[in-house]
Amino acid sequence: MTNETSSQLFPYENPPPEVIKKLEEDIGMTEESLKEDIKTLKEWMVKQPHLPNIDDEKVLKRFLYYCKNSLEKTKMKLDNYYSVRGSSPEYFNNRDPLDPELVESINTMFFCGLPKLTPEHDRVCIFKIFDTDVSKYNPTLLFKSGLMALDCHVSEERCRSHILIYDMQGGSIGHVASLTIPIIKKFFSSGLVGMPQRYSGFHIVNAPSIAESLISMAKSFLKDKLSKRTYVHHDMTSLHKFIPKEILPAEYGGTFPMTMNELKENTYAGLVAHREWFKQQENLVTDEKKRLSKFNSLDQIEGSFRKINID
């Protein structure tokens, strides 16, 4: 179970096999249970005519892992994952990393994964503004590229959970004004709820005073447990209490030997390496006309932002 061959296209650190084994044991995942659960998931998906036929065992295993080895939660998360792709085409269609508009967005603001894991084996990712020209800022494309990066990680990522840092340096009233309630609502419902990853904390740095209302509004969409794990840092010393310096680049008082521009290129190269994969995923969405149950997981998503997976 823990010695699978890696086809990892992102140059990120993953936990060593003995740590992965311990993380899996902690949630009751064994060779025997995994084999049986994957078989059960495959049989369940075949009986759900609205779902695409997914038989990639590595993907199913990751869903089980992020859902803490719960079959019922995994079924719900798989349903959510493929449902949001149909309901949010602005995020999940036309995901060509070489598209000029997407490239411009990535060079303006991007979601950068940090290669080194925390001592708790969490992956840290940073949203950062690289170009302050508001005319180039497109929040939909920003969220699209961030979700692309997270999506690629589903079959490769072996971290315990994710920690997100939002660097608002260079943010202006124009940036804040473009993040309307419908856009934020769609991102939370289609992004965080639809993706399988768990989140152990949000950290905001370099926030201008004009962003206070935006931060309060975003926190109101989160479950209480995660809202309490959302921190606004007024200096990097405060951030270092949660994330070790060796994880962070120099821009955040860290010692990791890559700049944010280099980390941006690092993450972007991973997207380009997955270009064909993105094309293959284009039609893997639910067909709601074939759904047997009246219950639609998206109804629950839209009605509440309380289903985000957290530790």
Side-chain angles (χ1 to χ4, degrees):
M1 175 174 59
T2 55
N3 294 321
E4 62 193 37
T5 301
S6 174
S7 59
Q8 187 173 341
L9 297 176
F10 284 102
Y12 294 164
E13 172 186 277
N14 273 330
E18 62 273 16
V19 171
I20 293 173
K21 183 178 180 181
K22 178 64 166 57
L23 290 173
E24 292 173 345
E25 287 177 347
D26 287 346
I27 58 173
M29 185 179 283
T30 65
E31 291 280 1
E32 293 74 18
S33 71
L34 180 63
K35 182 178 179 179
E36 186 63 30
D37 288 346
I38 287 179
K39 178 184 176 183
T40 299
L41 287 172
K42 287 182 177 180
E43 292 173 349
W44 172 77
M45 293 193 79
V46 168
K47 294 176 182 178
Q48 307 300 314
H50 69 290
L51 290 177
N53 186 17
I54 305 298
D55 60 2
D56 187 334
E57 294 189 0
K58 186 185 290 187
V59 170
L60 294 177
K61 177 182 175 179
R62 294 297 189 274
F63 272 81
L64 273 166
Y65 173 75
Y66 282 124
C67 293
K68 295 188 176 182
N69 207 31
S70 165
L71 270 175
E72 291 310 308
K73 288 182 180 178
T74 302
K75 290 176 183 179
M76 177 66 74
K77 183 56 70 173
L78 283 166
D79 199 328
N80 289 348
Y81 182 79
Y82 293 107
S83 293
V84 298
R85 277 149 174 71
S87 67
S88 305
E90 66 270 43
Y91 295 147
F92 297 103
N93 284 1
N94 305 314
R95 297 191 297 173
D96 183 354
L98 298 183
D99 176 78
E101 286 190 346
L102 191 59
V103 172
E104 180 178 68
S105 175
I106 287 169
N107 286 326
T108 302
M109 188 173 184
F110 193 40
F111 175 97
C112 305
L114 306 190
K116 190 174 178 62
L117 294 172
T118 70
E120 294 76 29
H121 312 292
D122 294 334
R123 175 77 62 210
V124 178
C125 301
I126 301 177
F127 271 112
K128 178 176 171 57
I129 299 173
F130 291 93
D131 186 335
T132 59
D133 185 347
V134 177
S135 67
K136 297 179 182 179
Y137 177 62
N138 184 321
T140 298
L141 289 178
L142 161 66
F143 294 144
K144 180 176 185 175
S145 63
L147 291 169
M148 286 171 68
L150 278 175
D151 214 4
C152 291
H153 292 187
V154 170
S155 64
E156 300 182 7
E157 189 69 84
R158 298 312 310 264
C159 66
R160 183 181 69 100
S161 66
H162 279 69
I163 298 172
L164 304 186
I165 298 176
Y166 294 84
D167 182 358
M168 302 186 75
Q169 186 171 34
S172 67
I173 192 169
H175 292 97
V176 173
S178 67
L179 287 171
T180 62
I181 291 178
I183 288 176
I184 295 175
K185 175 181 177 180
K186 193 65 175 289
F187 174 61
F188 275 95
S189 62
S190 300
L192 294 179
V193 174
M195 299 302 291
Q197 287 89 346
R198 296 200 301 266
Y199 299 91
S200 55
F202 289 168
H203 298 267
I204 301 163
V205 298
N206 299 317
S209 58
I210 57 173
E212 290 180 3
S213 59
L214 176 65
I215 294 169
S216 296
M217 179 174 61
K219 287 179 67 175
S220 71
F221 292 150
L222 300 175
K223 192 173 181 179
D224 290 344
K225 190 174 181 180
L226 189 52
S227 179
K228 291 176 180 177
R229 293 184 186 178
T230 300
Y231 305 94
V232 179
H233 302 281
H234 299 290
D235 57 58
M236 296 307 160
T237 301
S238 173
L239 179 65
H240 298 159
K241 294 178 181 178
F242 297 88
I243 302 173
K245 290 183 179 181
E246 60 265 26
I247 306 297
L248 300 164
E251 290 93 327
Y252 304 95
T255 58
F256 189 78
M258 290 179 74
T259 66
M260 280 301 296
N261 275 314
E262 291 171 330
L263 290 166
K264 173 168 69 72
E265 294 304 316
N266 200 43
T267 304
Y268 176 65
L271 298 190
V272 174
H274 282 81
R275 191 183 185 202
E276 289 303 315
W277 181 85
F278 284 124
K279 292 180 181 178
Q280 295 166 8
Q281 299 294 304
E282 190 81 11
N283 296 317
L284 296 181
V285 301
T286 57
D287 183 344
E288 294 302 326
K289 293 179 181 179
K290 295 182 179 179
R291 187 183 287 273
L292 297 177
S293 171
K294 292 182 179 180
F295 170 78
N296 185 335
S297 58
L298 283 178
D299 294 337
Q300 198 167 356
I301 294 171
E302 292 296 341
S304 171
F305 305 102
R306 307 294 182 180
K307 294 176 60 60
I308 296 173
N309 243 351
I310 61 176
D311 272 346

